[in-house]
Amino acid sequence: MSSLSRRAQGIAPSPTLAISAAAAAMKKRGIDVISFGAGEPDFDTPEHIKLAAVAAGQAGFTKYTPTSGIPELKAAIIDKFLSDNGLVYQPSQILVSNGAKQCLYNLLQVLLDPGDEVLIPVPYWVSYAEMVKLADGKCVFVPSKADFTVDSQLLDTYVTPKTKVIILNSPSNPTGAVYSEAQLKDIAEYCVKNNIYVISDEIYEKLIYDDRHYSIGALGPDINALTMTVNGVSKAYAMTGWRIGYCGGPEDIIRAASALQDHSTSSPNTMAQYAALAALNGPLDTVTAMKQKYRQRRDYMISRLQDMHHVSVQPPAGAFYAFVDISATFTSDITGSEAFCDQLLQHYRVAAVPGSAFGDDRYIRLSFATGMEAIKHGLDRLERFLAQLK
């Protein structure tokens, strides 16, 4: 008999973290590895944000805070939701957590009963499925269209009387797809008609290159009453290690999620909350500069990939990933994305994340949240690897 619960035995480790760990271990042994696995900005946190955390500590803000966040930060989040997203929330509708990931986890825990079904468009961020399983829910994977989005007609094929939630991610990790206003209106109308809750993961909102961002919860009072909007400071402000995420939604759901957080982690780090306050209330010049760098890297990476043999790629409209179709390389030696990534890492010292981690084995994910020189050298190696394939 195993000492672990069935729940614990069913948890799959994060493939993205595993790839990063493998690349780091090789680098530690002195091997020249170029990693495209990172899911975080390579830039440093802006100075005024770091100074705000230092000032908070020096001022004695080193104690517990209310579980759902300090009032000043909640007020800044409310202002941000209103000005950026057209979303109107009260403080009782806001929860600050230890990263957007905890917001997602909390929400699924308080929404799902055993057997409740969650629609997850494929490809999907790796943790969605594990979080649903940990809440005793059932994952219903919805294959996306060619542009990596879903619509009401597609959803209708997978909806059952047990469907309770859909998770939307725009901009998307891993594809960079961004939903248009018309696409979100179509989904909103369907969810209202069928009383389906929406968890809208908008963590990459500030990193959109060719379009603008729309929040599904802002498309009318009916869909707003069904929507939980999740965001955070990690990606936009290069604050991944600070672990501050937040969400807004119906008061009863946010209250339940806060109560759950009471008994798991309590409040987020106090000084990190003051740093997040400085981020939300501060200038956006560093965010704009980072976004411009990402755009340059994206354009270079996509141009190079489109000239390579055996692969194809759609330019991502947001986030900082290229989702590359490698299915033309599959042979008896390369039977899927994991084998492709293993050979690429072992023989050409390039780390990429297999698409199987995101529910689509035909692809690999390459992050351009790394320096341009690393991107150039890494793509050179990838091109040599592809050139030697039959």
Side-chain angles (χ1 to χ4, degrees), residues 27 74 132-133 140 145 163 173 195 235 251 256 278-279 283 303 360-362:
K27 288 181 179 179
K74 293 176 79 170
V132 170
K133 289 190 289 184
V140 177
K145 300 182 296 180
T163 302
N173 174 10
N195 197 35
K235 310 299 183 181
E251 185 173 346
S303 177
D360 197 327
D361 198 35
R362 299 170 298 171

XYZ file of all heavy atoms in Angstrom, residues 27 74 132-133 140 145 163 173 195 235 251 256 278-279 283 303 360-362:
146
model
N 24.308 23.140 -17.443
C 25.150 24.341 -17.358
C 26.086 24.261 -16.160
O 27.257 24.682 -16.232
C 24.272 25.586 -17.275
C 23.558 25.955 -18.566
C 22.719 27.221 -18.391
C 22.021 27.599 -19.686
N 21.183 28.820 -19.524
N -5.473 46.588 -2.941
C -6.784 46.253 -3.505
C -7.379 47.455 -4.237
O -7.986 47.310 -5.309
C -7.723 45.752 -2.408
C -7.286 44.420 -1.830
C -8.162 43.967 -0.674
C -9.458 43.374 -1.167
N -10.212 42.711 -0.061
N -7.351 21.194 -11.800
C -8.707 20.640 -11.890
C -8.761 19.276 -11.213
O -9.679 18.974 -10.436
C -9.162 20.542 -13.359
C -10.465 19.743 -13.473
C -9.347 21.927 -13.955
N -7.750 18.440 -11.464
C -7.716 17.120 -10.851
C -7.613 17.218 -9.336
O -8.240 16.436 -8.605
C -6.551 16.307 -11.417
C -6.762 15.869 -12.865
C -5.717 14.873 -13.314
C -4.360 15.484 -13.486
N -3.358 14.515 -14.011
N -12.146 18.412 -19.449
C -12.694 18.146 -20.773
C -11.894 18.998 -21.749
O -12.038 20.223 -21.786
C -14.191 18.482 -20.856
C -14.713 18.254 -22.268
C -14.977 17.635 -19.855
N -9.151 25.616 -32.824
C -9.121 25.789 -34.272
C -7.687 26.103 -34.729
O -6.765 26.158 -33.920
C -10.074 26.915 -34.670
C -11.527 26.660 -34.287
C -12.437 27.789 -34.741
C -12.094 29.103 -34.054
N -12.965 30.217 -34.493
N -20.982 20.288 -17.056
C -20.032 21.372 -17.336
C -20.284 22.531 -16.383
O -21.397 23.045 -16.289
C -20.173 21.871 -18.774
O -19.962 20.784 -19.678
C -19.165 22.972 -19.059
N -0.553 31.119 -23.118
C 0.644 30.308 -22.948
C 0.182 28.871 -23.211
O -0.669 28.371 -22.482
C 1.180 30.444 -21.528
C 2.337 29.511 -21.219
O 2.892 28.875 -22.097
N 2.696 29.431 -19.945
N -25.099 28.889 -18.410
C -24.723 29.073 -17.005
C -23.371 28.413 -16.687
O -23.240 27.629 -15.745
C -25.804 28.519 -16.075
C -25.665 29.048 -14.659
O -25.270 30.195 -14.448
N -25.967 28.213 -13.670
N 4.510 38.838 -15.012
C 4.985 38.905 -16.394
C 5.207 40.340 -16.851
O 6.224 40.648 -17.472
C 3.979 38.214 -17.322
C 3.548 36.826 -16.872
C 4.686 35.832 -16.788
C 4.164 34.450 -16.412
N 5.215 33.439 -16.300
N -18.751 38.306 -5.480
C -18.351 38.440 -4.084
C -18.374 37.116 -3.329
O -17.476 36.830 -2.530
C -19.256 39.460 -3.383
C -18.843 39.752 -1.953
C -19.644 40.878 -1.326
O -20.335 41.612 -2.067
O -19.587 41.021 -0.087
N -15.229 32.965 -0.601
C -14.886 31.565 -0.362
C -13.412 31.297 -0.662
O -12.737 30.569 0.078
C -15.772 30.660 -1.215
N 3.523 49.649 -5.860
C 4.364 50.576 -6.621
C 4.328 50.253 -8.108
O 4.361 51.160 -8.953
C 5.803 50.515 -6.104
N 4.250 48.974 -8.436
C 4.187 48.576 -9.849
C 2.901 49.090 -10.495
O 2.932 49.706 -11.569
C 4.271 47.059 -9.969
N 5.087 54.339 -13.143
C 5.182 54.569 -14.591
C 5.266 53.259 -15.360
O 5.674 52.224 -14.824
C 6.484 55.375 -14.723
C 7.301 54.961 -13.537
C 6.322 54.743 -12.426
N 10.849 35.020 -38.035
C 11.467 35.102 -39.360
C 12.434 33.948 -39.589
O 12.438 33.314 -40.658
C 12.190 36.444 -39.519
O 12.857 36.519 -40.754
N -0.616 18.996 -26.868
C -0.508 18.813 -28.322
C 0.911 18.385 -28.667
O 1.845 19.197 -28.685
C -0.873 20.091 -29.068
C -1.178 19.828 -30.537
O -0.559 18.916 -31.114
O -2.039 20.533 -31.108
N 1.049 17.103 -28.948
C 2.364 16.498 -29.155
C 3.008 16.879 -30.475
O 4.157 16.536 -30.733
C 2.221 14.968 -29.071
C 3.532 14.270 -28.827
O 4.377 14.827 -28.101
O 3.735 13.164 -29.374
N 2.300 17.609 -31.329
C 2.842 17.984 -32.629
C 3.768 19.197 -32.550
O 4.396 19.564 -33.547
C 1.714 18.308 -33.603
C 0.759 17.152 -33.891
C -0.452 17.629 -34.654
N -1.224 18.611 -33.880
C -2.239 19.320 -34.376
N -2.592 19.166 -35.651
N -2.894 20.170 -33.599
